[in-house]
Amino acid sequence: MNPNVHTLDRARASLSDMQRPGRAEVESAVRTIIRWTGEDPDRDGLRETPARVTRAFEEFFSGYGQDPVEILRKTFEEIEGYDEMIVLRGIRFESHCEHHMAPIIGQAWVAYIPNGRVVGISKLARIVDVYARRLQIQEKMTAQIANTINDVLEPQGVGVIIKASHHCMTTRGVHKPDSDLVTSRMLGCFRDNALTRQEFLGMAT
């Protein structure tokens, strides 16, 4: 694996940690938002809301504290020469768009063709979660998942498809509740071989 994989991402994460405000500052910001809506943050129903929102945000954005490279580092080589497609289908995720911090709710299909080693299937789901639990746009998240699997596992190819509903356009703005966005990223033999790509697309639809 290239030792420089995601070095820039890790450097950015470290810088973010140095600049990250404390819990009290975050709760104060939530209180300000509550006041901005015209509500009283000290009334009974809202008194604990700043702390609750802060705890929720810790969960929503926990992906910044996880290293996707480390998740994929442990692999298995005793695979009896298996070299066919591996597909984990319908991985549900929740994310938030970086433009409005509105929910993105969707599913991911992740596939790769191994090159002498495989990774535990739960790790594929965890990679989706790591990138989902950050402020995102779907196109970038799709590429991040595929690129990380490709860089760390060095397989023959990787395919990722994501289908998601974006609340920034279903519950606000243009209000199109029945719409969803589909993105894909194909690398290696998934990009170069039309039959391989079609096989994956058939499993994901």
Side-chain angles (χ1 to χ4, degrees):
M1 184 183 68
N2 187 334
N4 293 322
V5 170
H6 305 303
T7 298
L8 182 58
D9 281 348
R10 287 195 291 271
R12 286 173 177 164
S14 297
L15 182 62
S16 176
D17 288 340
M18 292 169 58
Q19 297 175 339
R20 185 173 297 169
R23 177 180 296 275
E25 193 173 346
V26 177
E27 293 183 10
S28 177
V30 176
R31 286 177 59 84
T32 298
I33 292 172
I34 292 172
R35 289 198 305 272
W36 175 79
T37 68
E39 266 285 6
D40 176 10
D42 290 318
R43 74 172 175 83
D44 286 346
L46 292 171
R47 191 171 295 131
E48 300 299 321
T49 295
R52 293 189 189 104
V53 171
T54 301
R55 289 195 298 271
F57 275 23
E58 284 180 325
E59 182 177 346
F60 293 158
F61 305 124
S62 61
Y64 288 109
Q66 300 177 62
D67 184 351
V69 173
E70 287 300 319
I71 290 172
L72 291 175
R73 199 175 296 279
K74 182 178 181 180
T75 57
F76 306 94
E77 297 182 358
E78 296 178 356
I79 59 174
E80 300 294 334
Y82 185 88
D83 61 358
E84 299 294 332
M85 191 179 300
I86 297 168
V87 185
L88 189 59
R89 304 192 299 175
I91 308 165
R92 191 181 188 278
F93 68 86
E94 302 89 28
S95 188
H96 288 79
C97 81
E98 64 183 39
H99 300 141
H100 302 93
M101 295 182 73
I104 302 171
I105 309 297
Q107 290 182 303
W109 289 258
V110 177
Y112 71 101
I113 296 180
N115 188 17
R117 58 195 179 117
V118 300
V119 69
I121 58 174
S122 67
K123 302 298 193 297
L124 299 177
R126 287 185 62 193
I127 289 299
V128 173
D129 279 344
V130 165
Y131 286 117
R133 292 174 182 175
R134 302 180 180 189
L135 292 171
Q136 280 290 7
I137 63 171
Q138 185 173 324
E139 297 88 342
K140 180 175 71 174
M141 177 178 161
T142 307
Q144 287 173 326
I145 295 167
N147 292 347
T148 300
I149 294 171
N150 190 63
D151 291 343
V152 180
L153 298 185
E154 298 179 337
Q156 298 180 53
V158 179
V160 174
I161 297 172
I162 292 180
K163 177 180 179 181
S165 174
H166 292 244
H167 286 216
C168 59
M169 68 170 289
T170 63
T171 63
R172 61 160 299 280
V174 294
H175 288 278
K176 301 299 180 184
D178 296 324
S179 63
D180 55 42
L181 181 67
V182 179
T183 53
S184 66
R185 173 77 158 168
M186 306 291 172
L187 299 173
C189 60
F190 285 80
R191 180 186 291 269
D192 300 333
N193 189 316
L195 291 177
T196 299
R197 183 168 59 253
Q198 192 58 43
E199 180 183 355
F200 176 42
L201 292 172
M203 292 183 181
T205 57

